[in-house]
Amino acid sequence: MLNSVPSVYSKVVGNASGGSVVQPTSASAIPEKKDSFKKSNNKTLAVTSIGTASGGIAGMVYAKMTEAARKIPRAILDKYNTDFSTYSNARVKIQDRVYKDEFEPLLKSMVDKLLGNEELPPEELKLAKDLDLDPNMVRFFDGAKKRLNILADELNKHPNDTSAISGYSILSPGSDKFDMASFSDFNKWFGIIEENGTKHRDIQEFLDYTSSEYFKDINFKIKYDKNGVANGIIPSIDFKNSLPEGETLSDTTYTFKELVEKVIAKKEFEHNRIDETTLCSLSHNIGISKNNNHPSSQSVLLKRFNELCESAIDKAKAVNEELKNSAIKAYKNKQMLKFAGIGALAAGALAACGALIYKKVNEKEQ
């Protein structure tokens, strides 16, 4: 039977002896040993990786649960422990910056435009009105022109210096909308009206302005004594006040412009006790009335500046708090990574040792 095997087969598989039969069996055993070694190595790597990851997680959990992660170094807290209280260095620096970067440029621009009779943008116009330095006030009242020039001089004498504000306050304690300077301004305009009447455009604009702004929301009545003689002018804020016995108020109410027409232009009360002086006193009396507490332009100036400063300080506090929280968070993250690294290293090393020992024992058993 062996002689019937084709010769080509004998050339491929060799002689049909015992050695040639064992050869294939021995060859298949070698790969099996390599596979076993490879699996053992993979197991070692897997165990080590799992141990390392577990150790890292354990380290982070430990850091999260211990004071090591929560206790913040004093250096970080001190760095952001900024004092913003009154007169503190931080507050003074912010105030100086606000004045230099925001308030002084606003004031200078407003003053320059008013002096040059230029149109003011909305923000500057609002500030000018709050200071009783709006274009019409400056146009019609010499007292307002004087206050404007004082402010301009202070800004020029004290560039980048908040003393310009205090200087304006100190140098003009009596110069305001309802002071004696306005009394003189009204008296000047009444003299012009007495000579020229109320038809001139400038006079009409003056009366319209003072009626709508200077005496805003205020009307007047004529007061008569018991004999029917006009002896005073009562503003609407005092209508409810009691009158001396026998005195009465007119049924008709008048705007300031209408009063000027009746008293000066038409001279309806020429032989009574109502004249230009009575009209001039109205502004001063209304200004000091408890029902119309008009703030001085100096106090408004300081208030506006302080509002800008408080807004800037609030922003600085928020930014400082944000920076502090970021620094604390960065420190905690660093601590957690540090503990995670230590835990991963220790657990990974132990897992690797255990896997190697297991491998050696396993090899010896085989």
Side-chain angles (χ1 to χ4, degrees):
M1 290 294 293
L2 288 175
N3 293 331
S4 66
V5 177
S7 60
V8 65
Y9 179 78
S10 300
K11 290 179 181 179
V12 174
V13 299
N15 296 327
S17 62
S20 61
V21 174
V22 176
Q23 179 92 17
T25 305
S26 178
S28 63
I30 294 174
E32 185 179 341
K33 187 174 182 180
K34 286 182 179 180
D35 288 344
S36 176
F37 181 76
K38 184 177 181 181
K39 290 178 181 179
S40 180
N41 282 342
N42 289 341
K43 186 180 293 187
T44 302
L45 291 173
V47 171
T48 305
S49 298
I50 293 170
T52 302
S54 301
I57 294 171
M60 292 183 73
V61 171
Y62 174 79
K64 192 84 174 175
M65 297 177 62
T66 60
E67 283 297 320
R70 294 196 294 270
K71 188 175 182 181
I72 310 304
R74 175 56 56 184
I76 293 178
L77 298 178
D78 289 344
K79 182 178 180 180
Y80 297 101
N81 187 25
T82 306
D83 181 14
F84 291 101
S85 62
T86 305
Y87 306 120
S88 66
N89 289 333
R91 181 177 283 264
V92 170
K93 287 180 181 179
I94 292 174
Q95 289 173 333
D96 288 342
R97 191 180 72 246
V98 167
Y99 182 78
K100 181 179 177 181
D101 296 344
E102 295 184 53
F103 200 55
E104 185 184 52
L106 177 67
L107 283 177
K108 282 186 174 181
S109 179
M110 180 197 73
V111 168
D112 290 343
K113 287 184 177 70
L114 286 171
L115 291 173
N117 295 318
E118 299 177 32
E119 185 177 355
L120 274 64
E123 185 180 10
E124 293 177 18
L125 181 60
K126 182 182 184 307
L127 177 59
K129 285 185 174 182
D130 290 343
L131 295 172
D132 297 320
L133 289 174
D134 64 87
N136 280 324
M137 179 65 78
V138 174
R139 174 187 174 191
F140 295 127
F141 291 89
D142 293 337
K145 292 188 185 99
K146 180 181 178 182
R147 286 187 284 113
L148 177 62
N149 285 317
I150 289 173
L151 181 57
D153 289 342
E154 289 301 310
L155 291 171
N156 290 330
K157 285 191 298 186
H158 304 286
N160 301 328
D161 190 346
T162 56
S163 60
I165 298 178
S166 59
Y168 176 67
S169 299
I170 292 170
L171 292 176
S172 57
S175 299
D176 212 345
K177 184 176 182 178
F178 295 104
D179 63 4
M180 294 308 294
S182 66
F183 185 99
S184 299
D185 288 326
F186 274 110
N187 194 52
K188 180 188 76 172
W189 277 98
F190 291 157
I192 297 171
I193 292 171
E194 191 169 25
E195 292 180 7
N196 303 285
T198 59
K199 301 303 181 183
H200 194 277
R201 179 180 174 182
D202 286 348
I203 293 173
Q204 284 290 317
E205 290 179 354
F206 167 76
L207 292 175
D208 287 337
Y209 173 72
T210 52
S211 292
S212 62
E213 293 294 333
Y214 214 94
F215 299 102
K216 186 176 182 180
D217 300 325
I218 298 176
N219 293 314
F220 304 90
K221 287 188 176 185
I222 306 298
K223 182 167 72 74
Y224 298 91
D225 64 17
K226 60 184 179 179
N227 298 317
V229 177
N231 65 353
I233 299 173
I234 305 298
S236 53
I237 55 178
D238 295 328
F239 283 173
K240 294 181 179 180
N241 293 348
S242 61
L243 296 172
E245 185 177 352
E247 295 193 339
T248 59
L249 295 178
S250 63
D251 294 331
T252 306
T253 58
Y254 304 93
T255 65
F256 182 73
K257 182 178 181 178
E258 291 170 338
L259 276 181
V260 173
E261 286 272 3
K262 291 175 71 67
V263 174
I264 300 177
K266 296 180 180 179
K267 300 184 184 299
E268 291 187 12
F269 303 99
E270 188 173 6
H271 302 293
N272 296 299
R273 284 172 286 179
I274 296 177
D275 54 16
E276 290 89 339
T277 302
T278 308
L279 293 175
C280 288
S281 300
L282 288 176
S283 64
H284 181 68
N285 293 338
I286 290 171
I288 63 176
S289 171
K290 66 180 180 179
N291 296 315
N292 189 48
N293 292 322
H294 185 80
S296 69
S297 55
Q298 297 90 339
S299 65
V300 172
L301 183 68
L302 290 170
K303 180 182 178 182
R304 179 68 180 276
F305 174 61
N306 288 331
E307 286 174 352
L308 287 175
C309 290
E310 289 302 320
S311 177
I313 288 169
D314 288 342
K315 290 178 182 177
K317 287 180 179 179
V319 170
N320 184 70
E321 189 67 18
E322 184 178 344
L323 291 173
K324 183 177 76 172
N325 290 336
S326 295
I328 291 173
K329 184 177 180 180
Y331 172 78
K332 286 185 175 181
N333 287 341
K334 184 178 179 181
Q335 290 295 96
M336 290 174 69
L337 290 174
K338 175 183 174 182
F339 278 88
I342 293 172
L345 183 63
L350 291 174
C353 290
L356 289 171
I357 292 170
Y358 170 80
K359 176 185 173 184
K360 290 294 184 182
V361 171
N362 192 43
E363 286 177 350
K364 286 183 176 180
E365 288 179 351
Q366 292 177 357

